[in-house]
Amino acid sequence: FEGYGGHGKDVTIQRQERRDAARLAEYDTLTGMANRNRMGRRLHAILSTYRAAKRSCALIMVGLDRFKHINDTLGHAGGDELLKQVSLRLDTIIAKRGEIGRVGGDEFQVILPDFDDRGKLGEIAARIIQLLSQPYTVDGTRCTVGASVGVAIAPYDGLEADQLVRSADLALYEAKRGGRGQYRFYSSSLKDE
């Protein structure tokens, strides 16, 4: 054996780009939380598994109140900074109990597997509202937003992911309609309304 010949190519950058693209498909670039796509797939998977085992799952929708005012006064960069701080606060409340995602401009979703105790869910919702309503500092400016929360529980409020999301959305809408800074559980009367 006298040697060998060949050529090589560094594919590190291409592999990193593929990894980044896969991450963008699953996570929100601003907050680093799961995005709508990932949350939808996670909820579908959890509900599919839990349906057979007759287990429950709670879905919490969080909408920020007066967020548009922050964007109007501090600009989109200020709004982005506020959303990052909101995501950190949500993470401290939920911790390892569930998965949090940013599913819209100022909307967040929380999946809590094996939760159906309305008392505990009410405590979590009240804690979310209380903590997110505390003042924030954005670019040296003190600002406040509020939060409204809608809660739906599978299997009672929906067996499929889209049903449960719709139920939580209706509960959130009712919380906002009721004066904001509140939480509401889904009820069948909301659908009729």
Side-chain angles (χ1 to χ4, degrees), residues 6-85:
H7 66 281
K9 181 180 179 185
D10 186 357
V11 295
T12 306
I13 292 173
Q14 289 87 349
R15 288 185 63 138
Q16 184 63 40
E17 286 172 352
R18 267 189 259 133
R19 198 175 9 232
D20 291 346
R23 179 157 175 74
L24 286 175
E26 298 275 320
Y27 294 93
D28 177 50
T29 55
L30 181 64
T31 63
M33 294 183 151
N35 63 16
R36 180 183 297 275
N37 179 39
R38 179 175 171 81
M39 291 299 282
R41 284 192 303 101
R42 288 285 300 134
L43 185 60
H44 177 74
I46 289 169
L47 292 177
S48 296
T49 303
Y50 283 20
R51 199 171 18 253
K54 299 198 182 323
R55 292 164 61 187
S56 62
C57 177
L59 180 67
I60 297 175
M61 294 293 291
V62 180
L64 298 181
D65 302 330
R66 300 179 306 277
F67 180 71
K68 185 180 180 321
H69 178 71
I70 300 298
N71 268 345
D72 291 346
T73 56
L74 298 178
H76 290 289
D80 289 351
E81 177 57 34
L82 182 84
L83 289 171
K84 290 177 190 175
Q85 292 182 38

Side-chain angles (χ1 to χ4, degrees), residues 115-125 151-153 156-157 183-188:
F115 262 86
D116 66 353
D117 183 327
R118 285 178 170 255
K120 287 182 181 174
L121 287 167
E123 289 173 12
I124 291 171
V151 184
I153 306 167
Y156 319 109
D157 303 329
Y183 67 89
R184 292 284 186 269
F185 285 92
Y186 173 80
S187 69
S188 55

Side-chain angles (χ1 to χ4, degrees), residues 7 19-20 45 86-87 91 96 98 110 115 123 134 136 139 141 151 153:
H7 66 281
R19 198 175 9 232
D20 291 346
V86 165
S87 67
D91 195 46
K96 304 280 185 227
V110 179
F115 262 86
E123 289 173 12
Q134 297 298 315
Y136 298 84
D139 295 330
T141 303
V151 184
I153 306 167

Side-chain angles (χ1 to χ4, degrees), residues 158-176:
L159 291 170
E160 300 295 330
D162 60 337
Q163 291 174 326
L164 198 62
V165 169
R166 194 175 313 116
S167 298
D169 270 336
L170 284 171
L172 175 60
Y173 175 76
E174 183 62 21
K176 285 183 176 279

